[in-house]
Amino acid sequence: MKTLEARDFITEGHANRMKELVIKLGTSINLPNESIDKLKLLAQFHDIGKVGIPDRILFKPGALTEEEKNQMKKHCEIGYNIALSSTELSHIAEYILKHHEWWNGKGYPLGLSGEEIPVETRILSLVDAFDAMTSDRPYRKALSIEEAVKELKRFKGVQFGPLLTDAFIEIIEEQEEAM
């Protein structure tokens, strides 16, 4: 975690937002406590493989070249290998490897689809995408909550599982109403 923070890959705010949302979504679909505990850890360490990606790619303000995209995609496998070597993270290594798989099978690195992707990974992917969309990035400004929800709906059944997407949008809308 210290290495990730030192290279500015993850902020405490990002990790806390991710943990809060994965807990809410996991709880809403009645995941067992063991799975929710894994989700909390996954929220913190899913991008640990980015320690092996050059800063010039990670913090590039513009679009990545094809070669840079291919290098960036390696963070899943790098993270998987790091997690396997850690007794504290080895039980979530599979989830780290698969956190960029898409519901329709067009993700990476394995091209898994639908329920072949562990539910914990599908939850993390959905929450991470939402948090990324609603946060400023070097290459773009944050989207509003409403715009991000539209994007989630647009990618429902494509990148994200339909039922999880609906459950997550309901959580986001309830949060918005409570504010």
Side-chain angles (χ1 to χ4, degrees):
M1 195 65 184
K2 294 291 181 202
T3 303
L4 292 174
E5 288 171 356
R7 288 195 63 203
D8 200 29
F9 296 150
I10 187 167
T11 63
E12 190 174 318
H14 173 69
N16 290 340
R17 287 188 308 271
M18 293 278 295
K19 278 200 279 192
E20 179 185 327
L21 290 172
V22 298
I23 291 167
K24 284 182 180 180
L25 183 51
T27 302
S28 80
I29 64 164
N30 300 312
L31 277 186
N33 288 337
E34 179 183 331
S35 291
I36 291 174
D37 289 342
K38 288 178 183 177
L39 274 169
K40 291 189 286 191
L41 202 56
L42 187 60
Q44 286 183 284
F45 291 101
H46 64 282
D47 277 339
I48 195 167
K50 286 185 178 178
V51 299
I53 305 299
D55 285 351
R56 67 178 168 71
I57 294 174
L58 286 173
F59 302 112
K60 186 175 179 178
L64 299 178
T65 66
E66 280 307 308
E67 181 184 326
E68 290 167 336
K69 285 179 191 174
N70 289 333
Q71 273 192 281
M72 181 64 99
K73 287 180 179 181
K74 291 180 182 174
H75 83 275
C76 297
E77 293 165 84
I78 294 167
Y80 170 76
N81 289 321
I82 292 169
L84 278 181
S85 70
S86 163
T87 54
E88 293 86 5
L89 300 178
S90 62
H91 65 292
I92 64 165
E94 170 193 6
Y95 304 146
I96 291 171
L97 177 66
K98 298 174 180 176
H99 79 273
H100 280 287
E101 298 291 346
W102 281 27
W103 183 258
N104 69 359
K106 304 279 185 184
Y108 62 88
L110 305 173
L112 301 177
S113 65
E115 301 213 359
E116 292 177 314
I117 307 164
V119 68
E120 293 87 351
T121 304
R122 287 182 275 141
I123 288 171
L124 183 277
S125 175
L126 186 57
V127 170
D128 191 34
F130 177 78
D131 193 70
M133 286 187 275
T134 56
S135 302
D136 285 335
R137 296 295 167 132
Y139 49 89
R140 64 146 177 80
K141 290 288 184 193
L143 298 180
S144 69
I145 301 291
E146 297 77 27
E147 291 169 317
V149 166
K150 282 182 189 173
E151 284 297 295
L152 293 178
K153 288 177 180 177
R154 189 164 75 95
F155 283 91
K156 180 172 113 175
V158 177
Q159 185 173 357
F160 311 115
L163 297 177
L164 278 180
T165 304
D166 289 342
F168 185 61
I169 289 171
E170 191 172 309
I171 289 167
I172 296 303
E173 289 175 345
E174 285 172 5
Q175 276 186 190
E176 282 295 290
E177 288 172 16
M179 294 179 113

